[in-house]
Amino acid sequence: GWNYFPPHADSVLGIASAEDSRQTLRAVIILDFSFYICSMEKLNITLLGPAHPYRGGLAIIMQTMARVFQRDGHRVDLKTFTVQYPQWLFPGKSQFVDTPAPDDLRIERCVSTVNPFNWLRMGLRIRRERPDIVLLKYWTPFMAPCFGTIARLARRNGHTRFLCQIDNVEPHERHLFDRWFNRWFLGAVDGFVYMSEQVHRELECYTNAPALFSPHPRFDSYGEPVDRTEACRRLGLDPQRRYALFFGLIREYKGLDWLLEAWAKLRAEGRIGSEWRLIVAGECYTDPEPYRRRIVQSGLEEEVTFHDRFIPDERVKDYFSAAEFLVLPYKSATQSGVTQIAYQFRLPVIVTRVGGLAEIVPDDRVGFVCPPSPEGVADAIERIADPETLARFRANMERERERFS
């Protein structure tokens, strides 16, 4: 049955591209949803996870999927959190955006991740509502007690199936109860869509439920590139300089210390032109002072622009339009949503050979995949700073980005 794709079946997981839709339909058939698809009925779909007023890429993806479902005529509601993280557990300054709620989506704040009585109420409520599919977004075992309880109760209606688009199985920072929490949630799900083979391998340690690959979708919600000079002006940068970019929430595993060490090494050894500067943009989810001290100790105060803050959606295009390449010097990873912002803006990328990053960034085609070390990052920066190399990667980006549309 793999070659039969009924009309409107491409909307089942809210992924826009044809190939991703075919993968999605395979997941649906495996999970015995072919009854819903082959009938001409529209589905009742509940999405459960981050959405407005919560900020960040996870909420953007959930809302994008909801819109694709709606575009194809399905009945969609989006249930998000009254409490996502307790404030004392959240490492950033705010969990919320201050923009108005989208008026084209039905978003209800009704799920508390920290209230077991709420989990019971929501599980029983979804059991009564009987949606055809509940699609969850899972990225940390912290969500497992809540999501697992809701799923186990709701599935008892004998009708609703639970699908999960899974970002991570094992968290980047490990905790005592992670494996127990994962078992509770992952064992309650009917099928998965994963975005890297590392996640797939980890998932197989917990469940034999059907699981299919679909890469992280491109972030087209940030718009298109803007004039580079104008982007530099908005960011207070000199447009006569050339810029490398580190972007995203700053945590220890993301390797900013490696990047600063690599940059200092390149400068000390004269391996990069004097016109080059480094932009670091993103809110620190760890103490920023060690990074600031390293910048000073390495004599990079004039070299590094450090915007230690959450970057609003409307400013993302300025950073990706001002820079000439992106550096993601991660020490560990599954996949990265930041690479998909780079694809959106046709910005060449350096990634380390960890997790699933090499699956997303073909080496020497749209960027470089380098050894996970300061020396490896430095060598890759030296190689990519060549104008002809950057031009070649940008041209290839135009083609490769279509894989993620």
Side-chain angles (χ1 to χ4, degrees):
W2 294 149
N3 296 317
Y4 175 60
F5 299 96
H8 80 275
D10 62 339
S11 64
V12 174
L13 270 188
I15 303 171
S17 75
E19 179 55 32
D20 285 349
S21 298
R22 292 168 73 92
Q23 292 282 7
T24 296
L25 182 57
R26 292 186 182 101
V28 171
I29 292 172
I30 288 173
L31 292 167
D32 197 27
F33 291 144
S34 53
F35 169 78
Y36 299 120
I37 298 303
C38 295
S39 70
M40 295 305 292
E41 296 179 11
K42 299 299 183 178
L43 300 177
N44 290 315
I45 302 173
T46 292
L47 282 77
L48 176 54
H52 187 279
Y54 291 94
R55 72 183 197 185
L58 299 178
I60 290 172
I61 291 296
M62 292 294 281
Q63 291 172 189
T64 299
M65 289 194 292
R67 288 188 175 100
V68 174
F69 286 143
Q70 288 186 166
R71 180 196 69 193
D72 291 315
H74 300 296
R75 294 178 288 272
V76 180
D77 72 288
L78 214 165
K79 291 179 169 59
T80 193
F81 306 111
T82 55
V83 177
Q84 180 174 233
Y85 300 109
Q87 195 58 44
W88 60 274
L89 276 180
F90 183 70
K93 295 180 176 66
S94 173
Q95 301 180 53
F96 304 103
V97 296
D98 55 9
T99 55
D103 57 11
D104 60 332
L105 296 175
R106 292 172 51 209
I107 301 176
E108 180 185 2
R109 295 186 66 187
C110 55
V111 178
S112 170
T113 61
V114 297
N115 183 348
F117 295 106
N118 173 270
W119 311 343
L120 298 174
R121 286 196 301 271
M122 290 308 304
L124 294 173
R125 175 180 162 184
I126 293 173
R127 185 164 75 182
R128 290 193 303 270
E129 291 175 349
R130 293 174 60 84
D132 300 312
I133 297 173
V134 175
L135 175 60
L136 303 105
K137 185 77 165 168
Y138 187 70
W139 67 102
T140 170
F142 179 79
M143 300 293 159
C146 171
F147 285 177
T149 302
I150 291 172
R152 288 170 185 272
L153 285 172
R155 291 169 75 225
R156 293 180 184 176
N157 65 19
H159 175 79
T160 301
R161 300 294 184 92
F162 276 73
L163 292 178
C164 176
Q165 187 186 51
I166 187 162
D167 291 63
N168 304 306
V169 176
E170 305 297 351
H172 299 292
E173 292 98 359
R174 304 296 177 91
H175 304 91
L176 180 61
F177 295 106
D178 289 339
R179 292 187 64 81
W180 187 88
F181 285 173
N182 275 338
R183 282 194 294 269
W184 176 249
F185 169 66
L186 299 175
V189 176
D190 294 295
F192 298 88
V193 175
Y194 61 91
M195 294 183 283
S196 76
E197 282 302 323
Q198 175 171 319
V199 170
H200 188 204
R201 289 192 296 271
E202 293 174 353
L203 186 62
E204 288 180 318
C205 295
Y206 291 93
T207 176
N208 60 1
L212 289 170
F213 172 75
S214 182
H216 197 301
R218 202 174 72 221
F219 282 108
D220 56 7
S221 59
Y222 294 124
E224 294 293 331
V226 298
D227 177 73
R228 181 179 179 276
T229 299
E230 176 62 16
C232 288
R233 185 192 66 78
R234 292 175 186 169
L235 297 175
L237 302 174
D238 181 357
Q240 301 304 312
R241 300 289 188 182
R242 304 175 69 189
Y243 297 99
L245 175 65
F246 175 99
F247 188 88
L249 300 176
I250 299 170
R251 308 181 81 155
E252 196 278 331
Y253 76 88
K254 293 193 174 182
L256 178 56
D257 54 338
W258 283 1
L259 176 55
L260 295 174
E261 183 178 340
W263 198 268
K265 180 180 178 67
L266 290 167
R267 183 61 69 216
E269 297 174 0
R271 294 165 55 192
I272 192 169
S274 60
E275 73 277 14
W276 282 98
R277 295 293 185 267
L278 174 64
I279 306 168
V280 177
E283 185 176 2
C284 274
Y285 275 19
T286 184
D287 184 3
E289 289 310 310
Y291 301 118
R292 297 189 184 280
R293 284 196 300 270
R294 184 181 288 269
I295 290 169
V296 172
Q297 291 166 359
S298 302
L300 299 178
E301 300 98 312
E302 302 301 318
E303 299 264 340
V304 179
T305 298
F306 194 178
H307 290 176
D308 171 21
R309 56 180 179 267
F310 181 78
I311 308 302
D313 291 356
E314 64 272 14
R315 284 284 168 260
V316 171
K317 60 180 176 290
D318 294 330
Y319 288 92
F320 281 79
S321 299
E324 297 203 34
F325 62 90
L326 174 72
V327 189
L328 300 179
Y330 292 3
K331 300 176 181 180
S332 66
T334 48
Q335 64 278 321
S336 170
V338 182
T339 59
Q340 299 306 327
I341 307 177
Y343 273 111
Q344 174 65 17
F345 289 95
R346 295 92 165 166
L347 190 68
V349 189
I350 293 171
V351 297
T352 46
R353 194 177 296 280
V354 296
L357 296 183
E359 301 170 33
I360 304 168
V361 179
D363 188 32
D364 201 24
R365 182 164 176 81
V366 298
F368 289 122
V369 180
C370 68
S373 67
E375 294 78 14
V377 173
D379 291 345
I381 292 173
E382 183 180 17
R383 294 170 65 200
I384 206 172
D386 171 62
E388 292 184 2
T389 300
L390 285 170
R392 175 167 62 89
F393 288 167
R394 280 189 180 275
N396 291 337
M397 268 279 184
E398 196 66 45
R399 293 184 291 272
E400 286 290 330
R401 70 197 292 269
E402 296 309 313
R403 291 195 295 136
F404 308 106
S405 63

